Amino acid sequence: MANYEHRKGTVTLKISKADGTPLINKEVVVKQTRHKFLFGCAEFSVVPFANNELQGEEKQKAEMVFEKFLDLFNFATLPFYWARFEPVKGKPDTLRLKKAAEWLVSKGCTVKGHPLCWHTLTAPWLLEMNNQEILDAQLHRIRREVSEFAGLIDMWDVINEVVIMPIFNKYDNGITRICKELGRIRLVREVFAAAIEANPHGIFLINDFNTSAAYEILIEGLLEAGVRIDAIGIQSHMHQGYWGVEKTQEILERFSRFNLPIHFTETTIISGNLMPPEIEDLNDYKVDEWPSTPEGEERQAMEAALHYKTLFAHPKVEAITWWNFVDGEWLNAPSGFITKDGRIKPIYHELHRLIKGEWWIDQVHLITDEHGMVNISGYMGDYEITCQDKKATFALDKTNKFIEITL
């Protein structure tokens, strides 16, 4: 049995009336409203949806998609791929992304931006510059986005897939050029310093699909060089099959030695035929159709639940992000919770049962004692307490053992 005790907290509430007298022998109702743990997902159609760009059936489908999304997740990733965000130099898509971030925040989501520096989908116009100009443009871009979105987006994947970055040889791009010249550690140090300068209180991640010793060595070198990394991002794209509990735990064990929070930033398990094992770069697998199958959907649901249980049981893991909510968004893969035609897959119900069932305090009825006190135990997060028609909120975590509430 997995142990989730580290996810729980206990608090004593002392409940008083407005005049300061304790509320004695009264029934109160307590319910959880939000997890502290970040259960997240990427669903980039939120950008046109939040900007009212969808019409008719498309809009109706998006309404259904985001109703389901928000009932399960408290964390969302928005796309800041430089090639798409600023295809023309000096004309970034700031307003549309701001609207999407504002909409998500208004619905109770923490938002992360992804990514600020990456050799893939980087601005094509960087190739017209020399290396110093490319670096300057990259650092300017980071300062601009991080400061512009501060307060809405305070968490960023600062640099993506650095292990392969300087040796990436599929096509020429500005970021590989500067990474080759500066080396991984100096480039990472520069981009993190720019992000921290723009928002000192932000949470800044390094992110990679490479879970080998090469990534560990890089992190070790960065920490020795004094780079402030707030969380380690690990991608777990399982298009070629579920990792299994043993491999997942082995990876967690290796990366937890840095004593930093771990975020599983991009997680996929597919509900169709698996991608052939000989494919090295997942992007090389091109298919017109990749259908979801009934047996694939059952397998996806079972394996996803096991993956989440494994990660939730590990004390260093603070966030899990699924990639993406609807099928077919990346590589045409059936990796979502909802099919292209809008059918909800078993994985949704399976994870809902965990996130909003097994790991959730739905509603408890308690009676205050002769001092107006009650004890609450549950999963860490935000809670609401009600007595008759009066309400108050409180946070359950490891530090607060005693909270005074006025109703």
Side-chain angles (χ1 to χ4, degrees):
M1 266 301 274
N3 182 357
Y4 307 122
E5 284 310 306
H6 56 285
R7 301 285 173 206
K8 295 175 181 174
T10 300
V11 69
T12 300
L13 302 179
K14 183 181 181 184
I15 305 156
S16 306
K17 299 178 197 168
D19 63 3
T21 58
L23 204 65
I24 297 167
N25 295 330
K26 286 277 186 265
E27 185 184 59
V28 293
V29 180
V30 175
K31 64 174 186 178
Q32 191 170 356
T33 56
R34 194 176 193 274
H35 271 288
K36 183 185 180 191
F37 190 94
L38 296 173
F39 289 106
C41 194
E43 182 48 53
F44 299 154
S45 65
V46 72
V47 181
F49 178 63
N51 281 273
N52 288 320
E53 294 164 7
L54 305 179
Q55 306 293 323
E57 269 181 41
E58 234 184 356
K59 186 177 181 176
Q60 281 179 334
K61 184 188 169 188
E63 282 167 355
M64 180 277 289
V65 163
F66 288 106
E67 185 191 332
K68 292 290 176 195
F69 184 103
L70 294 165
D71 193 32
L72 189 57
F73 299 117
N74 60 358
F75 182 41
T77 299
L78 282 181
F80 282 83
Y81 304 107
W82 203 357
R84 294 173 185 164
F85 183 75
E86 193 180 8
V88 177
K89 190 182 179 197
K91 293 189 177 175
D93 199 13
T94 307
L95 292 178
R96 288 177 77 244
L97 269 291
K98 241 185 192 174
K99 268 205 172 145
E102 283 165 354
W103 187 82
L104 286 162
V105 169
S106 78
K107 302 293 183 185
C109 278
T110 298
V111 183
K112 183 178 75 168
H114 165 86
L116 290 167
C117 177
W118 190 30
H119 54 276
T120 300
L121 287 178
T122 194
W125 42 263
L126 294 175
L127 291 172
E128 297 156 20
M129 303 176 170
N130 65 39
N131 282 7
Q132 185 57 50
E133 290 166 338
I134 292 170
L135 179 62
D136 291 345
Q138 173 66 81
L139 299 180
H140 166 73
R141 185 263 156 129
I142 291 171
R143 289 188 197 99
R144 180 186 64 192
E145 265 69 276
V146 173
S147 57
E148 186 76 47
F149 285 84
L152 275 177
I153 301 178
D154 294 316
M155 188 185 293
W156 295 89
D157 290 328
V158 179
I159 193 161
N160 202 33
E161 302 175 1
V162 195
V163 175
I164 201 175
M165 195 176 272
I167 54 170
F168 180 81
N169 59 8
K170 292 212 159 180
Y171 46 81
D172 190 13
N173 70 86
I175 304 306
T176 285
R177 283 185 189 179
I178 58 170
C179 194
K180 208 174 271 181
E181 182 184 320
L182 301 173
R184 294 180 181 91
I185 287 177
R186 174 148 172 234
L187 179 60
V188 176
R189 192 168 62 200
E190 294 268 10
V191 295
F192 267 78
I196 292 161
E197 179 197 325
N199 183 357
H201 306 295
I203 295 168
F204 299 116
L205 287 86
I206 186 167
N207 189 42
D208 219 302
F209 66 86
N210 188 318
T211 55
S212 75
Y215 191 26
E216 286 177 83
I217 292 162
L218 174 64
I219 293 167
E220 206 165 85
L222 290 165
L223 297 175
E224 279 171 8
V227 179
R228 182 192 116 189
I229 294 170
D230 297 319
I232 296 167
I234 292 174
Q235 299 177 22
S236 51
H237 288 297
M238 296 178 265
H239 290 60
Q240 290 162 311
Y242 170 49
W243 284 359
V245 174
E246 209 173 291
K247 177 179 172 176
T248 307
Q249 286 176 335
E250 184 267 330
I251 288 168
L252 285 168
E253 207 45 53
R254 283 192 288 114
F255 285 92
S256 60
R257 72 184 171 95
F258 298 111
N259 208 23
L260 287 168
I262 294 171
H263 289 205
F264 269 63
T265 51
E266 303 176 30
T267 300
T268 52
I269 293 172
I270 61 167
S271 62
N273 293 332
L274 298 182
M275 186 187 284
E278 64 273 9
I279 304 282
E280 276 185 38
D281 182 341
L282 302 190
N283 292 291
D284 291 344
Y285 188 63
K286 303 270 197 294
V287 286
D288 294 331
E289 286 296 319
W290 196 342
S292 186
T293 64
E295 59 277 16
E297 289 180 11
E298 291 305 319
R299 184 191 69 230
Q300 181 197 38
M302 186 187 70
E303 291 172 348
L306 199 48
H307 195 54
Y308 273 66
K309 285 174 183 174
T310 307
L311 297 180
F312 197 59
H314 195 283
K316 284 280 171 274
V317 180
E318 292 187 359
I320 310 168
T321 293
W322 196 267
W323 210 260
N324 303 81
F325 197 56
V326 179
D327 277 355
E329 305 222 348
W330 182 47
L331 306 178
N332 221 1
S335 54
F337 289 67
I338 294 180
T339 59
K340 286 181 184 179
D341 60 4
R343 181 173 53 80
I344 295 158
K345 289 155 68 174
I347 181 175
Y348 182 88
H349 304 296
E350 198 59 37
L351 289 188
H352 199 283
R353 194 179 56 74
L354 289 174
I355 296 168
K356 287 293 184 72
E358 201 177 305
W359 302 333
W360 187 256
I361 303 297
D362 196 31
Q363 209 173 62
V364 283
H365 293 255
L366 301 161
I367 305 288
T368 59
D369 67 12
E370 67 273 22
H371 307 292
M373 295 193 194
V374 286
N375 291 323
I376 309 285
S377 294
Y379 286 92
M380 288 187 279
D382 297 338
Y383 284 75
E384 183 181 88
I385 181 165
T386 310
C387 181
Q388 292 163 341
D389 57 346
K390 295 189 168 62
K391 285 181 182 178
T393 58
F394 66 95
L396 186 59
D397 59 32
K398 286 284 187 227
T399 51
N400 277 349
K401 296 294 180 200
F402 181 80
I403 299 174
E404 295 194 46
I405 284 176
T406 304
L407 282 177

